[in-house]
Amino acid sequence: MKEGVPVTIEVNNQSSDPEIVHWHGLFLPPEIDGAMEEGTPHIAAGMTKHYSFTPEPAGFRWYHTHVSAGNDLKRALYSGQHGLLMVEPRENPGYYDQEFFLALHDWEGTLVGSDDGSMNPVYNYSTVNGKVLGFGEPLRVRQGQRVRIHIVNASATEPHWLAFSGHQFRVLALDGNPVPSPRTVTMLHLSPAERITAEVEMNNPGVWVLGEVRKHVQAAGMGIVVEYADHSGKAVWQQPQTLEWDYLLFGAENTSEHSAEINVNTVPLTFTSKFVGHGAMDRWMINGRSFPDTETIRLKLGQRYRLIFKNESKDDHPVHLHRHTFELRSMAGRKVRGILKDTILVKAGSEAEVEFTANAPGLSLFHCHQQDHMDMGFMMLFQSN
Ligand SMILES: [Cu+2]
């Protein structure tokens, strides 16, 4: 799509269940954003709906089903019902020779009991663009090219670590939004629903693997071959020794240049879980309550809000706010500016703070993007007016 250019999309539900499409990262009214909790009507089985909107903001977005799965690990985000969405900026100053779009996904999940007795999904296959390593078309490049790669983690529940053997990533954007300090890193971390846009200089001719850093996940298929022109043979993987990722690397270098704090209303949100019983998925709570019994928080249009996330559970949570972009302000006590996202990973036992302006009238859903967590109550609504 092109920024500012209206589109009409026809969605035909050929499945046998009611479906709904969420346009993740776009600023859309609740009637079409794609969450039943906000009031978007579902699409009945066999029916077609048309959605007309002007896409904004520019950047790398994605779209996906937004139904619940419960114990059916073939439904909702466990299925392949997701796609990539690029909103091209009006002006595109990016200089690159080739552009690739990659979606990570995990397939054929089964619920397996963990040590503490609760159930978690475990997967048979992990893919890049729907193919296990060695079965998809390679990314074909030439020496000297500057390549831009847009990656989304479309897994229902799993975070992923990626490295590109023989190469490094220069991270340009997180969740489709340019970062203040692009930096070069050896690996990327994406929790469910997160996106990364990175540039890679093709300066090491050969045939390489771009894939999951953890051996068992790459063995389950998560990787893609990158092939230089005039090179052939078996793709080479170089195993990194440690896992490294830090959002704050990409924040503004000089935080003092930002003007004094404007009036900000704080909203504390504490995440906890409740063990329901052996063989069952945990119940999730925000401020002690599970959706739909959570409090709907009222926001005044135009006001600035800071959400203070306290994760008092033993799981990490990639939390997502619909219809807004927020600025990351602190992570585990470290302050930061300039990182704009719509999904952020709040680690177990940790805290994070994000800030946004309530500029979207109506209901906006806030939830953990891990399908099993949102299905088990990790959702709430904001109402702006
Ligand atoms: Cu979660």
Side-chain angles (χ1 to χ4, degrees), residues 295-310:
E295 180 191 4
T296 294
I297 294 182
R298 294 188 180 277
L299 309 179
K300 274 210 176 71
L301 279 174
Q303 292 250 358
R304 191 87 178 153
Y305 291 88
R306 184 182 291 210
L307 308 181
I308 301 176
F309 304 133
K310 265 191 198 173

Side-chain angles (χ1 to χ4, degrees), residues 284 315-319 368-370 372-374 378:
W284 293 94
D315 284 21
D316 298 346
H317 299 290
V319 292
C368 178
H369 218 281
Q370 231 184 281
D372 53 335
H373 295 177
M374 67 184 280
F378 200 137

Side-chain angles (χ1 to χ4, degrees), residues 65 132 239 298 324 327 372 376:
T65 175
V132 295
Q239 180 64 44
R298 294 188 180 277
H324 296 79
E327 182 184 5
D372 53 335
M376 295 301 282

Side-chain angles (χ1 to χ4, degrees), residues 73 107-113 120-125 157-158:
L73 302 198
W107 304 85
E108 289 194 7
T110 42
L111 286 174
V112 172
N120 295 296
V122 173
Y123 300 90
N124 283 336
Y125 301 105
T157 60
E158 299 304 295

Side-chain angles (χ1 to χ4, degrees), residues 105-107 121-127 132-133 158-161 211-223 237 239-240 243:
H105 196 62
D106 300 284
W107 304 85
V122 173
Y123 300 90
N124 283 336
Y125 301 105
S126 300
T127 60
V132 295
L133 178 59
E158 299 304 295
H160 287 296
W161 295 87
E212 238 286 358
V213 178
R214 296 166 301 166
K215 287 176 188 166
H216 68 284
V217 188
Q218 192 178 115
M222 189 168 285
W237 172 250
Q239 180 64 44
L243 298 175

Side-chain angles (χ1 to χ4, degrees), residues 53-76:
F53 57 82
T54 302
E56 62 164 339
F60 179 38
R61 316 291 163 209
W62 68 301
Y63 58 96
H64 59 81
T65 175
H66 210 290
V67 297
S68 65
N71 285 326
D72 184 353
L73 302 198
K74 292 206 174 344
R75 208 165 141 59

Side-chain angles (χ1 to χ4, degrees), residues 6-293:
V7 290
T8 296
I9 299 159
E10 181 178 297
V11 182
N12 177 219
N13 179 8
Q14 297 182 357
S15 79
S16 50
D17 297 300
E19 269 298 341
I20 194 161
V21 184
H22 172 50
W23 311 94
H24 189 122
L26 294 190
F27 303 156
L28 297 177
E31 300 78 43
I32 59 171
D33 178 56
M36 272 147 337
E37 298 79 5
E38 292 172 351
T40 316
H42 67 247
I43 311 170
M47 299 304 283
T48 296
K49 283 213 170 152
H50 293 86
Y51 300 95
S52 295
F53 57 82
T54 302
E56 62 164 339
F60 179 38
R61 316 291 163 209
W62 68 301
Y63 58 96
H64 59 81
T65 175
H66 210 290
V67 297
S68 65
N71 285 326
D72 184 353
L73 302 198
K74 292 206 174 344
R75 208 165 141 59
L77 286 166
Y78 298 108
S79 78
Q81 294 181 106
H82 57 260
L84 303 114
L85 169 55
M86 186 70 192
V87 182
E88 296 280 3
R90 272 192 198 86
E91 287 164 29
N92 187 356
Y95 163 60
Y96 51 86
D97 303 299
Q98 277 208 83
E99 193 173 30
F100 294 111
F101 291 88
L102 306 178
L104 314 178
H105 196 62
D106 300 284
W107 304 85
E108 289 194 7
T110 42
L111 286 174
V112 172
S114 57
D115 296 344
D116 59 9
S118 50
M119 304 296 278
N120 295 296
V122 173
Y123 300 90
N124 283 336
Y125 301 105
S126 300
T127 60
V128 177
N129 288 352
K131 304 278 187 190
V132 295
L133 178 59
F135 283 78
E137 280 295 302
L139 305 182
R140 298 181 202 283
V141 301
R142 294 181 170 277
Q143 184 171 6
Q145 279 188 331
R146 192 174 290 200
V147 167
R148 192 166 282 197
I149 308 178
H150 305 276
I151 307 161
V152 59
N153 183 353
S155 177
T157 60
E158 299 304 295
H160 287 296
W161 295 87
L162 290 181
F164 182 179
S165 291
H167 299 77
Q168 293 196 306
F169 299 103
R170 184 167 170 81
V171 173
L172 302 179
L174 296 176
D175 292 357
N177 308 309
V179 293
S181 308
R183 294 208 191 274
T184 301
V185 295
T186 56
M187 72 181 68
L188 308 176
H189 178 268
L190 300 104
S191 54
E194 285 190 307
R195 286 91 69 208
I196 294 176
T197 298
E199 192 173 82
V200 181
E201 289 201 25
M202 294 300 157
N203 52 13
N204 195 358
V207 183
W208 302 98
V209 173
L210 191 175
E212 238 286 358
V213 178
R214 296 166 301 166
K215 287 176 188 166
H216 68 284
V217 188
Q218 192 178 115
M222 189 168 285
I224 190 165
V225 173
V226 182
E227 196 178 275
Y228 279 71
D230 307 320
H231 286 261
S232 58
K234 195 177 177 326
V236 175
W237 172 250
Q238 296 165 336
Q239 180 64 44
Q241 293 311 306
T242 52
L243 298 175
E244 285 169 20
W245 178 254
D246 182 3
Y247 287 121
L248 272 55
L249 277 180
F250 313 105
E253 286 182 19
N254 185 357
T255 51
S256 61
E257 72 189 32
H258 290 272
S259 54
E261 301 280 326
I262 44 169
N263 274 340
V264 178
N265 309 281
T266 56
V267 181
L269 300 175
T270 299
F271 313 144
T272 53
S273 70
K274 190 159 87 189
F275 179 65
V276 180
H278 279 271
M281 287 191 272
D282 292 346
R283 190 86 213 154
W284 293 94
M285 282 156 299
I286 304 171
N287 292 346
R289 289 156 78 178
S290 251
F291 193 82
D293 300 323

